[in-house]
Amino acid sequence: MARPREFDEAAVLDAAIQCFWAHGYEATSIRDLTAGMGITGASLYNAFGDKRALYHRALDRYVEETFGDRVRRLQGLPPRQAIAGFFAEVIDRSVGDPQQRGCMAINAALEATPRDPGFRDAVAGVLIRMEAFFLDCVTEGQRDGTITTRLPAEDLARHFLGLLLGIRVLARTRPDRALLEAVLRPALFLLDTASPGDTASCGETGSSPAKEGPVR
C-alpha cells in the first residue's frame, strides 16, 4: 500500500510556479525546486515525475488561475468590452508587479526552442487557447454588429494574441501604464465598425481576407 503524501499538492505546485516564474524553465534546478517547494527530491519525482512533467503541471495551474479565471469573469460581457477588459487587467497586473516577472506562459514562449518539441508544444497549446478567446469574442462581435467585419475574425484574433505577447514583454522592462495603454488603443480602434461614409475594406487597401480556418 502506497504511503500517503505528506504535503499539500496544491501548495507545493504554487511554490513550483513561483520558482519557474522567477527563473524560467532552463535556469530552475531540481535543487531550486525542492528548496522552494519544501519537499525532497524523491518526493518531487514520486509525485510529479521529472522536471518537465512538473513544469507542465505548474504551467497548467498558472494558466487556469490567471488566464482561465480572467476569461470566466469576462464571460457574458459584450465582446468588445470583454477584449478591452481583458487587456485592462493585463496592464494592471503588468504595472502592479514590483518584480516585473511578466506572464509565466509568455516567458515560456520566449524560452521555447526547436530542440525541445515537448516543451514547445505545451507552450503552443497555451497560446492557441489565448487566441481562441480572442477569436470567440471577435466572431460574436461581428455577428452582433459591434465589431467591424472589414478584417477577418482570424486576423483580428491573431493580432490581439501578438499584442498580448508584446505588451507583456514590453512591460518587463518598461512597466509604464501610459505606454502600455498607448500600445493598446490603436488595436481597440481596429475593432470599431465603420463610421458613415467609411468604405475602407481589405480589398481596397490591396490585401485580401485570410483563407485559413480558425486556429483552435
Side-chain angles (χ1 to χ4, degrees):
M1 185 169 128
R3 293 176 57 188
R5 291 179 184 168
E6 299 176 348
F7 56 83
D8 181 331
E9 184 171 307
V12 297
L13 264 179
D14 286 340
I17 288 171
Q18 297 304 315
C19 290
F20 285 126
W21 196 0
H23 306 294
Y25 174 75
E26 290 292 345
T28 302
S29 67
I30 293 296
R31 179 176 295 180
D32 294 331
L33 290 165
T34 55
M37 298 164 72
I39 61 176
T40 65
S43 294
L44 187 155
Y45 285 110
N46 288 336
F48 302 105
D50 60 12
K51 175 181 163 182
R52 180 189 289 170
L54 173 60
Y55 184 82
H56 288 184
R57 289 281 302 278
L59 182 61
D60 286 346
R61 184 170 174 84
Y62 171 87
V63 170
E64 280 305 316
E65 291 184 344
T66 56
F67 173 79
D69 175 69
R70 184 176 304 125
V71 169
R72 285 187 289 272
R73 286 186 286 101
L74 293 171
Q75 284 177 343
L77 290 179
R80 192 186 185 288
Q81 187 178 340
I83 293 173
F86 181 96
F87 278 98
E89 290 196 17
V90 166
I91 290 174
D92 283 345
R93 286 178 64 90
S94 296
V95 301
D97 180 6
Q99 296 175 276
Q100 297 176 212
R101 294 170 297 177
C103 168
M104 179 179 165
I106 292 173
N107 294 348
L110 298 174
E111 192 175 3
T113 70
R115 297 192 307 274
D116 191 340
F119 179 90
R120 184 189 60 203
D121 290 348
V123 176
V126 175
L127 299 184
I128 289 170
R129 182 177 173 188
M130 293 175 175
E131 181 185 333
F133 164 73
F134 295 126
L135 182 59
D136 288 344
C137 289
V138 173
T139 300
E140 180 59 30
Q142 290 183 335
R143 185 180 299 119
D144 67 20
T146 58
I147 289 178
T148 183
T149 57
R150 289 173 294 171
L151 290 169
E154 292 84 2
D155 286 6
L156 287 169
R158 291 166 182 169
H159 177 75
F160 278 100
L161 174 65
L163 180 70
L164 173 61
L165 270 68
I167 284 177
R168 279 303 217 170
V169 173
L170 181 60
R172 292 201 65 179
T173 52
R174 294 186 63 189
D176 177 82
R177 180 179 295 277
L179 170 65
L180 302 180
E181 290 179 346
V183 170
L184 173 62
R185 274 194 297 272
L188 293 178
F189 180 76
L190 282 177
L191 297 176
D192 292 339
T193 55
S195 59
D198 183 358
T199 58
S201 67
C202 293
E204 290 169 340
T205 58
S207 60
S208 58
K211 301 300 183 183
E212 309 172 65
V215 175
R216 292 187 180 275

